[in-house]
Amino acid sequence: MDASDHADPNGPMLYKGLYHLFYQYNPNSALFGDGMVWAHSVSYDLINWVHLNHALHPTEPFDIKSCWSGSVTILPGNKPVILYTGIDANNTQVQNLAMPKNLSDPLLKEWIKFSQNPVITPPIGIEGDHFRDPTTAWLGADGKWNVIIGSSINDQGMAILYQSDDFVNWSRYQDPLYSKEKTGMWECPDFFPVSVNSTNGVDTSVINPGVKHVMKASFNSHDYYMIGTYVPGMEKYIPDTDFTGSNTDLRYDYGKFYASKTFFDSVKDRRILWGWINESDSAEDDINKGWSGLQSIPRQVWLDRSGSQLVLWPVEEINKLHDKQVSIQHKKLDGGSVLEIPDITASQADVEVLFELPELEEAELLNSTWVDPQKMCTDANAAVRGRLGPFGLLALATEDLTEQTAIFFRIFRGHNAYTVLMCSDQSRSSLKEKVDKTTYGAFVNIDPQHEKISLRSLIDHSIIESFGGEGRTCISSRVYPQLAVHKEAHLYVFNNGTQSITISKLNAWGMSKAQFIYEENCFSYKASQ
């Protein structure tokens, strides 16, 4: 395989029974650069994929430097159309259309660029390099299509709204759908409804009293979102809580996760989120290994019953990869203990654990100055003993624990409530130098008086995706162990607090490999489904 950089997910959709994922891809280098294309893969189950030929290449004056990110919208008659950002010959970001050559081909292997591209160019007052990443469009009751494009003016990030009757002729709405000072350039915005009283997803164009709207923007290396109310006609978005620029702003994932995009799966009535997870090693390492960047495991998204945040959970299809299972139930973990989860492939695993806290009232007091969860996790890593915590998992660990990535919780007592802190501690993840070992942290919106503490971690060699509180808090990390690889990797449950806790139940599975097939073999893949 040639050197390649994998980045932003683009235009995910379901078409004629096949899931499609396009993504930013550099066929010439393991790093991001000029000449980015839309790579294209298809799947029947979101897990096993066929790589097709690239869908969009830089070929025309309106995208000659690169085909950057964008989205797919399904037009009436089940007609998908791509709206994407092209980097033109003047290095200006312009928006272009592409349509399938043959709608009867479920693979949608060939795409034709619209002859009148670009269809949207930067308006007066917007810099030519601050105008990109159109969203999936939604259809208003007035029959107009609506799409937002990421931009900024003087460090004020914004979602510029465009409207069209025919998806070809677009006009800018007088005001941005939303903007916020001090957020910088908004990349890869996303805007979609979520049901107020169901975990089911809804189509992007649904607007009724039974939904709230999510506004997501990628900036400052993270994916932030708000939940709020969309007022069509007035074209206003009213968030329940605004971006504050602090570490308590809502994020899909509090680790590595960026440039994400959702789509509505109409067959299983769910909204699915894809995110790009980049490397934490050096550019030199990426060049040596010949690739960089990967996609997260697709996550189902719905509104938490509190209404104040989203819940993210790996799609159910990931369970198809489950191999040998190990279970532990009602096991007391005294303070300072480490318990190995044996007999599974620890370098490629799925583990779910539920913790009970019989001594909850023993939790240490929360200092009122502790407001930044990432700093709390950094200042007190897994080696620092507390009362209730740190407890959790040691993933990709050596037998002597020289290398380990600790995903853990600490419980604090406030005046009339408890606070649950979740951390992913990469400080001892590798003996290698020149690796970013930043520790991540976030609060988990659960009350341990009424709910057990749950953790699920999906481990795959250099990536750990962790879901705390049944998906209310997610943290993904990239780690590069030198010793804890393949059969030398171990998986442990640990309790480094002074108080004992109980493993209510634990299930862990080794994971089989997903299949990746290249286009020439795709007919045998189809026959095997």
Side-chain angles (χ1 to χ4, degrees), residues 229-284:
T229 303
Y230 170 49
V231 186
M234 293 176 66
E235 305 310 338
K236 278 203 179 319
Y237 180 69
I238 305 162
D240 297 346
T241 50
D242 207 344
F243 292 145
T244 65
S246 75
N247 262 18
T248 55
D249 282 348
L250 290 170
R251 282 164 52 184
Y252 285 156
D253 190 299
Y254 295 85
K256 292 191 90 82
F257 193 89
Y258 195 68
S260 62
K261 195 169 290 292
T262 65
F263 75 101
F264 175 58
D265 174 351
S266 57
V267 169
K268 291 200 171 183
D269 278 338
R270 57 185 176 174
R271 183 158 288 271
I272 293 174
L273 171 73
W274 283 101
W276 168 48
I277 299 178
N278 68 349
E279 303 299 312
S280 292
D281 58 0
S282 66
E284 185 184 5

XYZ file of all heavy atoms in Angstrom, residues 229-284:
467
model
N -32.884 24.993 20.405
C -34.132 25.060 19.654
C -33.895 25.803 18.346
O -33.319 26.897 18.350
C -35.218 25.799 20.473
O -35.363 25.115 21.723
C -36.542 25.822 19.734
N -34.331 25.198 17.267
C -34.239 25.817 15.948
C -35.586 26.442 15.614
O -36.630 25.793 15.734
C -33.848 24.756 14.910
C -33.949 25.186 13.466
C -33.397 26.391 13.039
C -34.587 24.372 12.533
C -33.476 26.770 11.699
C -34.667 24.750 11.190
C -34.116 25.949 10.783
O -34.195 26.330 9.465
N -35.543 27.721 15.233
C -36.769 28.439 14.863
C -36.756 28.669 13.356
O -36.119 29.609 12.870
C -36.881 29.786 15.611
C -38.232 30.444 15.316
C -36.674 29.605 17.105
N -37.403 27.776 12.581
C -37.400 27.963 11.129
C -38.217 29.210 10.757
O -39.013 29.700 11.546
C -38.059 26.684 10.598
C -38.858 26.156 11.736
C -38.195 26.613 12.998
N -37.986 29.700 9.562
C -38.655 30.937 9.158
C -37.847 32.125 9.625
O -37.364 32.912 8.817
N -37.657 32.240 10.945
C -36.773 33.282 11.477
C -35.309 32.874 11.338
O -34.410 33.702 11.488
C -37.087 33.553 12.951
C -38.451 34.176 13.180
S -38.805 34.366 14.948
C -37.563 35.567 15.416
N -35.084 31.587 11.077
C -33.734 31.027 10.913
C -32.838 31.398 12.099
O -31.756 31.936 11.941
C -33.107 31.462 9.578
C -33.964 31.140 8.364
C -34.452 29.682 8.313
O -33.845 28.811 8.937
O -35.481 29.444 7.644
N -33.345 31.096 13.280
C -32.574 31.339 14.497
C -32.319 30.023 15.207
O -33.160 29.123 15.188
C -33.359 32.253 15.438
C -33.257 33.738 15.106
C -33.555 34.562 16.352
C -33.443 36.059 16.121
N -32.338 36.482 15.300
N -31.154 29.940 15.840
C -30.843 28.799 16.697
C -30.639 29.329 18.109
O -29.809 30.222 18.335
C -29.591 28.075 16.207
C -29.226 26.877 17.075
C -30.031 25.739 17.096
C -28.097 26.898 17.885
C -29.725 24.653 17.897
C -27.780 25.808 18.682
C -28.600 24.692 18.686
O -28.293 23.610 19.477
N -31.401 28.796 19.060
C -31.344 29.271 20.446
C -30.817 28.132 21.313
O -31.550 27.187 21.632
C -32.739 29.711 20.930
C -33.318 30.766 19.972
C -32.674 30.244 22.356
C -34.820 30.953 20.096
N -29.525 28.187 21.681
C -28.966 27.073 22.468
C -29.433 27.105 23.919
O -29.667 28.177 24.482
C -27.457 27.311 22.381
C -27.299 28.774 22.139
C -28.527 29.233 21.387
N -29.580 25.916 24.507
C -29.896 25.833 25.937
C -28.723 26.331 26.768
O -28.901 27.010 27.767
C -30.238 24.382 26.329
C -31.493 23.876 25.614
O -32.226 24.704 25.040
O -31.724 22.648 25.622
N -27.511 25.942 26.343
C -26.288 26.458 26.982
C -25.294 26.779 25.881
O -25.074 25.974 24.975
C -25.664 25.424 27.949
O -25.547 24.175 27.261
C -26.514 25.229 29.179
N -24.691 27.943 25.961
C -23.806 28.449 24.914
C -22.384 27.913 25.111
O -22.024 27.418 26.183
C -23.792 29.977 24.983
C -23.484 30.625 23.648
O -22.988 29.915 22.744
O -23.741 31.835 23.494
N -21.560 28.035 24.060
C -20.130 27.769 24.209
C -19.538 28.821 25.158
O -19.814 30.012 25.021
C -19.410 27.869 22.857
C -19.775 26.791 21.869
C -19.827 27.077 20.506
C -20.032 25.494 22.275
C -20.136 26.087 19.580
C -20.346 24.501 21.360
C -20.396 24.801 20.015
N -18.716 28.361 26.107
C -18.109 29.290 27.074
C -16.602 29.406 26.901
O -15.978 30.281 27.485
C -18.386 28.825 28.515
O -17.721 27.567 28.719
C -19.875 28.661 28.772
N -16.024 28.500 26.108
C -14.567 28.520 25.959
C -13.852 27.833 27.098
O -12.626 27.889 27.198
N -14.590 27.143 27.967
C -13.957 26.452 29.102
C -13.967 24.947 28.856
O -14.593 24.452 27.920
C -14.710 26.756 30.395
O -15.923 26.030 30.430
N -13.285 24.215 29.747
C -13.189 22.762 29.614
C -14.480 22.045 29.981
O -14.539 20.827 29.940
C -12.041 22.222 30.487
C -10.780 22.010 29.662
O -10.657 22.560 28.572
N -9.855 21.228 30.168
N -15.497 22.787 30.363
C -16.770 22.143 30.684
C -17.768 22.236 29.532
O -18.892 21.752 29.658
C -17.390 22.764 31.951
O -17.512 24.174 31.753
C -16.510 22.508 33.171
N -17.373 22.871 28.397
C -18.251 22.872 27.227
C -18.495 21.438 26.776
O -17.621 20.573 26.889
C -17.623 23.671 26.076
C -17.765 25.169 26.268
O -18.520 25.588 27.152
O -17.109 25.919 25.524
N -19.690 21.180 26.246
C -20.037 19.826 25.811
C -19.204 19.416 24.601
O -19.043 20.188 23.649
C -21.520 19.755 25.441
C -22.519 19.863 26.607
C -23.930 20.028 26.074
C -22.423 18.638 27.507
N -18.692 18.193 24.655
C -17.950 17.633 23.533
C -18.441 16.221 23.269
O -18.856 15.510 24.186
C -16.445 17.612 23.836
C -15.785 18.967 23.673
C -14.414 19.047 24.333
N -13.504 17.988 23.962
C -12.284 17.842 24.483
N -11.847 18.693 25.394
N -11.516 16.848 24.112
N -18.377 15.793 21.998
C -18.675 14.393 21.680
C -17.721 13.482 22.418
O -18.090 12.395 22.870
C -18.486 14.143 20.189
C -19.561 14.675 19.270
C -19.256 14.940 17.937
C -20.866 14.887 19.691
C -20.224 15.403 17.050
C -21.834 15.351 18.818
C -21.500 15.607 17.500
O -22.453 16.060 16.623
N -16.460 13.903 22.488
C -15.391 13.033 22.994
C -14.335 13.947 23.599
O -13.955 14.948 22.995
C -14.811 12.216 21.830
C -13.880 11.107 22.269
O -12.848 11.424 22.894
O -14.161 9.926 21.959
N -13.845 13.587 24.797
C -12.928 14.468 25.515
C -11.468 14.070 25.313
O -10.593 14.550 26.019
C -13.322 14.519 26.998
C -14.679 15.164 27.186
C -15.843 14.410 27.066
C -14.800 16.533 27.404
C -17.096 15.005 27.181
C -16.050 17.140 27.529
C -17.192 16.367 27.410
O -18.424 16.960 27.516
N -11.230 13.195 24.328
C -9.870 12.839 23.945
C -9.593 13.312 22.539
O -9.845 14.465 22.187
N -9.085 12.398 21.701
C -8.797 12.712 20.302
C -10.022 12.364 19.457
O -10.402 11.193 19.381
C -7.587 11.905 19.820
C -6.296 12.320 20.483
C -5.104 11.711 19.797
C -4.567 12.574 18.697
N -3.679 13.648 19.107
N -10.613 13.366 18.816
C -11.831 13.135 18.038
C -12.158 14.459 17.370
O -12.360 15.457 18.051
C -12.979 12.719 18.975
C -14.191 12.160 18.286
C -14.296 10.797 18.025
C -15.245 12.990 17.920
C -15.436 10.275 17.419
C -16.376 12.482 17.313
C -16.475 11.117 17.057
N -12.218 14.480 16.020
C -12.344 15.773 15.334
C -13.030 15.589 13.984
O -13.081 14.486 13.425
C -10.944 16.375 15.128
C -10.951 17.848 14.761
C -11.354 18.809 15.680
C -10.561 18.273 13.492
C -11.367 20.155 15.355
C -10.567 19.619 13.154
C -10.970 20.555 14.095
O -10.988 21.894 13.764
N -13.541 16.726 13.459
C -14.070 16.800 12.085
C -15.170 15.772 11.844
O -15.303 15.228 10.761
C -12.936 16.620 11.068
N -15.981 15.528 12.866
C -16.959 14.444 12.799
C -18.177 14.829 11.970
O -18.428 16.007 11.707
C -17.397 14.058 14.210
O -18.030 15.166 14.828
N -18.933 13.804 11.605
C -20.135 14.014 10.802
C -21.142 12.915 11.109
O -20.765 11.764 11.299
C -19.769 14.001 9.316
C -20.867 14.559 8.416
C -20.358 14.775 6.996
C -19.363 15.905 6.879
N -19.987 17.219 7.127
N -22.430 13.302 11.142
C -23.479 12.316 11.396
C -24.300 12.075 10.131
O -24.281 12.872 9.194
C -24.457 12.783 12.500
O -25.156 13.951 12.048
C -23.736 13.073 13.802
N -25.036 10.967 10.148
C -26.056 10.735 9.119
C -27.197 9.946 9.741
O -27.037 9.308 10.788
C -25.475 9.997 7.894
C -25.209 8.529 8.107
C -26.085 7.560 7.634
C -24.066 8.104 8.779
C -25.838 6.210 7.818
C -23.805 6.750 8.970
C -24.697 5.795 8.484
N -28.361 10.004 9.086
C -29.532 9.274 9.563
C -29.631 7.948 8.826
O -29.666 7.912 7.597
C -30.799 10.111 9.348
C -32.060 9.374 9.715
C -32.240 8.867 11.002
C -33.065 9.170 8.778
C -33.399 8.182 11.335
C -34.228 8.485 9.108
C -34.388 7.983 10.391
N -29.630 6.866 9.598
C -29.795 5.513 9.060
C -31.293 5.201 9.092
O -31.853 4.889 10.142
C -28.994 4.539 9.938
C -29.206 3.073 9.559
O -30.091 2.786 8.732
O -28.488 2.220 10.120
N -31.939 5.305 7.914
C -33.397 5.174 7.852
C -33.861 3.727 8.009
O -35.024 3.486 8.330
C -33.912 5.736 6.524
O -33.279 5.078 5.440
N -32.979 2.754 7.804
C -33.375 1.352 7.951
C -33.485 0.980 9.428
O -34.430 0.322 9.858
C -32.387 0.422 7.214
C -32.634 -1.027 7.590
C -32.520 0.610 5.706
N -32.513 1.436 10.234
C -32.526 1.088 11.660
C -32.966 2.264 12.537
O -32.839 2.196 13.765
C -31.146 0.589 12.091
C -30.795 -0.764 11.487
C -29.693 -1.457 12.266
C -29.502 -2.887 11.793
N -28.477 -3.588 12.594
N -33.464 3.324 11.904
C -33.974 4.489 12.651
C -32.992 4.959 13.715
O -33.316 5.044 14.911
C -35.323 4.164 13.322
C -36.478 4.296 12.355
O -36.316 5.012 11.338
O -37.526 3.682 12.587
N -31.793 5.298 13.290
C -30.785 5.753 14.243
C -29.916 6.812 13.567
O -29.800 6.841 12.341
C -29.922 4.580 14.727
C -29.236 3.848 13.606
C -28.481 2.606 14.058
N -27.921 1.913 12.906
C -27.112 0.870 12.966
N -26.765 0.365 14.143
N -26.650 0.305 11.861
N -29.328 7.674 14.383
C -28.352 8.635 13.867
C -26.971 8.127 14.248
O -26.729 7.743 15.397
C -28.586 10.043 14.423
C -27.615 11.070 13.822
C -28.119 12.483 13.911
N -29.224 12.744 12.996
C -29.082 13.169 11.727
N -27.866 13.348 11.217
N -30.143 13.399 10.990
N -26.084 8.122 13.258
C -24.750 7.544 13.442
C -23.697 8.621 13.241
O -23.774 9.427 12.308
C -24.539 6.371 12.468
C -25.479 5.217 12.839
C -23.083 5.904 12.477
C -25.469 4.064 11.862
N -22.718 8.613 14.124
C -21.632 9.594 14.145
C -20.321 8.935 13.749
O -19.948 7.897 14.289
C -21.508 10.163 15.564
C -20.297 11.043 15.871
C -20.441 12.412 15.217
C -20.137 11.210 17.387
N -19.635 9.574 12.807
C -18.261 9.194 12.445
C -17.319 10.307 12.899
O -17.638 11.488 12.758
C -18.121 9.062 10.933
C -18.675 7.829 10.310
C -19.861 7.695 9.640
C -18.045 6.545 10.240
N -20.008 6.412 9.172
C -18.905 5.685 9.525
C -16.829 6.030 10.725
C -18.590 4.348 9.273
C -16.525 4.700 10.470
C -17.398 3.876 9.762
N -16.143 9.950 13.394
C -15.149 10.962 13.764
C -13.757 10.541 13.348
O -13.444 9.347 13.293
N -12.934 11.534 13.044
C -11.528 11.302 12.667
C -10.681 11.326 13.938
O -10.796 12.247 14.753
C -11.086 12.390 11.689
C -9.608 12.464 11.436
C -8.765 11.439 11.146
C -8.804 13.654 11.417
N -7.484 11.910 10.951
C -7.489 13.260 11.112
C -9.074 15.006 11.633
C -6.431 14.176 11.007
C -8.033 15.919 11.532
C -6.725 15.496 11.224
N -9.849 10.318 14.098
C -8.938 10.245 15.242
C -7.515 10.236 14.692
O -7.104 9.286 14.031
C -9.239 8.999 16.102
C -10.675 9.095 16.644
C -8.234 8.874 17.239
C -11.126 7.926 17.468
N -6.798 11.319 14.938
C -5.461 11.446 14.335
C -4.401 10.814 15.229
O -4.704 10.218 16.268
C -5.163 12.909 13.994
C -5.009 13.776 15.232
O -5.306 13.358 16.345
N -4.545 14.995 15.044
N -3.171 10.940 14.800
C -2.061 10.283 15.516
C -1.584 11.122 16.706
O -1.836 12.318 16.778
C -0.889 10.063 14.550
C -1.233 9.253 13.315
C -1.707 7.845 13.607
O -1.051 7.136 14.393
O -2.743 7.450 13.045
N -0.866 10.466 17.611
C -0.194 11.167 18.716
C 1.309 10.975 18.650
O 2.028 11.393 19.548
C -0.697 10.637 20.073
O -2.033 10.997 20.277
N 1.770 10.302 17.577
C 3.225 10.154 17.427
C 3.720 11.243 16.486
O 2.984 12.159 16.110
C 3.590 8.745 16.951
C 2.932 8.370 15.633
O 2.196 9.195 15.067
O 3.153 7.235 15.160
N 4.974 11.159 16.061
C 5.570 12.238 15.272
C 5.294 12.044 13.784
O 4.983 10.938 13.325
C 7.087 12.268 15.502
O 7.668 11.084 14.981
N 5.424 13.142 13.032
C 5.273 13.065 11.573
C 6.284 12.083 10.990
O 5.982 11.339 10.048
C 5.459 14.454 10.964
N 7.464 12.040 11.577
C 8.512 11.104 11.132
C 8.041 9.657 11.295
O 8.212 8.818 10.400
C 9.778 11.359 11.964
C 10.982 10.549 11.542
C 12.172 10.780 12.474
O 12.011 11.496 13.500
O 13.241 10.236 12.187
